[in-house]
Amino acid sequence: MIELEGVPELVDPVMVAAFEGWNDAGDAASTAVAHLDREWKGEVFAALDAEDYYDFQVNRPTVFMEAGVRKITWPTTRLSVVRVGGEKPRDLVLVRGIEPSMRWRSFCNELLGFAHELGVELVVVLGALLGDTPHTRPVPISGTTSDPDLARRMNLEETKYEGPTGIVGVLQEACTHAGVPAVSLWAAVPHYVSQPPNPKATLALLNRLEDLIDVRIPLGELPEDARAWQVGVDQLAAEDSEVAEYVQSLEEARDTAELPEASGEAIAREFERYLRRHDGGGPPAPGGHATADGSDSTSYLRDNPSGRTRPPKPPKPSTDDDESSDD
């Protein structure tokens, strides 16, 4: 048992977690938590015992030199605390690690033990999956919960998903059974450009998190990185007529599906974010990755050591309601 001595009393704490691996297409989710830790100078106060949860033949330790001495870094999950000031102070408990290889229930129970000791009021788990979404459009973010009351209060979807799941889904359900409010935020990453990093998806997750927990998040160079990423993908797509045609078909399907979504509520949410960014005011507001249907998916890479791989030719876009969802 790791003692929590030295951790100060927290103000309205929220636990924000992300895990590398199946739940983290384009490293978008883990990079989001790393960004929070870096911008707010998080202080690590605990690390789970790597022996309990990781297969070292799957997630190997790394050797490095420090002052001429060889040291080993073991794959694990670390917890840090960041103190967020402002008009409405709120502290965050950041959980960042690798999806465990074994003993998932014990893993979740240990994290929930920390949450209980620290008085965490809400757990937000970030994830990213591969989807049929064009890189030229806003990144779809779905917010889900198993709690019907929480879904109504926070404008979230009550999850109805059935199928294979990762540690994100398991941790959310563990929170629900323990009586801890929990939310999952998922970013949809274009499957044809899934290699990390994906700063556009990371930025979208942080924007949605900001709205959810009513905390202004410093973005640093992330918006510029997201724009540069999109320009780079534009250039790659333009080099291949087949890929360009495929992207165009995704754009048409997405635009048709989202036409009714240009509601006053969506416009108001973007305007509130603009106000917060510019004047500080305004109202609060190794394997495959998860896909929308829960299956594994091999990354589509424009160029790789084994040769060029292209996405399959898509079916003609349909306007049917059952094909309009990005989730």
Side-chain angles (χ1 to χ4, degrees):
M1 172 63 71
I2 300 176
E3 299 294 333
L4 299 182
E5 295 179 2
V7 178
E9 184 176 350
L10 304 181
V11 178
D12 297 332
V14 173
M15 177 177 280
V16 182
F19 304 94
E20 299 172 19
W22 192 75
N23 314 267
D24 193 24
D27 291 354
S30 58
T31 302
V33 173
H35 177 89
L36 297 174
D37 191 72
R38 181 174 60 254
E39 290 294 324
W40 277 316
K41 298 178 174 57
E43 298 182 5
V44 175
F45 67 88
L48 305 190
D49 190 339
E51 294 272 349
D52 290 340
Y53 304 114
Y54 294 100
D55 179 344
F56 298 141
Q57 290 184 323
V58 176
N59 298 291
R60 291 186 178 274
T62 57
V63 179
F64 68 99
M65 300 293 293
E66 184 176 66
V69 178
R70 285 172 64 87
K71 295 187 176 181
I72 294 179
T73 298
W74 297 92
T76 189
T77 294
R78 294 179 173 82
L79 291 82
S80 59
V81 170
V82 298
R83 315 304 299 268
V84 183
E87 295 182 4
K88 297 180 180 179
R90 161 164 266 180
D91 298 331
L92 303 183
V93 179
L94 304 180
V95 179
R96 183 185 173 205
I98 305 170
E99 183 177 62
S101 307
M102 62 195 88
R103 304 181 67 230
W104 283 19
R105 285 176 291 188
S106 297
F107 180 87
C108 292
N109 287 337
E110 190 163 355
L111 290 180
L112 284 170
F114 285 116
H116 176 74
E117 290 293 329
L118 295 168
V120 167
E121 300 179 349
L122 175 70
V123 174
V124 182
V125 194
L126 307 183
L129 52 78
L130 302 180
D132 293 328
T133 182
H135 71 279
T136 54
R137 298 295 185 264
V139 176
I141 301 292
S142 59
T144 64
T145 179
S146 298
D147 185 333
D149 294 332
L150 195 62
R152 286 191 293 270
R153 285 191 287 110
M154 306 189 81
N155 192 27
L156 301 165
E157 299 176 25
E158 188 178 352
T159 181
K160 302 295 184 183
Y161 171 75
E162 295 179 306
T165 191
I167 194 61
V168 170
V170 172
L171 179 57
Q172 179 176 331
E173 287 306 303
C175 290
T176 299
H177 290 301
V180 179
V183 174
S184 295
L185 298 180
W186 286 91
V189 172
H191 70 85
Y192 58 89
V193 59
S194 59
Q195 62 268 42
N198 190 318
K200 186 173 181 178
T202 295
L203 179 61
L205 279 170
L206 291 175
N207 282 335
R208 185 67 179 89
L209 177 66
E210 184 178 68
D211 293 339
L212 185 71
I213 65 176
D214 190 16
V215 168
R216 183 175 179 180
I217 297 173
L219 298 178
E221 298 179 356
L222 201 51
E224 182 179 343
D225 292 342
R227 286 190 292 269
W229 176 87
Q230 181 164 324
V231 169
V233 179
D234 285 342
Q235 293 172 347
L236 287 175
E239 295 175 2
D240 190 316
S241 60
E242 186 176 352
V243 173
E245 180 183 351
Y246 180 68
V247 172
Q248 183 178 3
S249 72
L250 292 177
E251 292 173 337
E252 292 171 354
R254 173 76 179 274
D255 293 344
T256 300
E258 291 199 341
L259 191 58
E261 298 298 325
S263 63
E265 181 181 349
I267 295 172
R269 187 165 55 246
E270 289 303 314
F271 183 64
E272 289 168 3
R273 182 178 293 121
Y274 172 84
L275 290 177
R276 286 199 302 270
R277 290 283 170 221
H278 287 78
D279 61 74
H289 289 292
T291 61
D293 63 1
S295 62
D296 283 318
S297 178
T298 302
S299 301
Y300 291 98
L301 303 180
R302 289 273 304 144
D303 293 288
N304 58 60
S306 61
R308 176 167 295 187
T309 305
R310 296 176 178 175
K313 276 190 174 295
K316 292 184 178 180
S318 171
T319 57
D320 294 342
D321 290 339
D322 62 347
E323 294 183 357
S324 64
S325 173
D326 288 310
D327 295 336

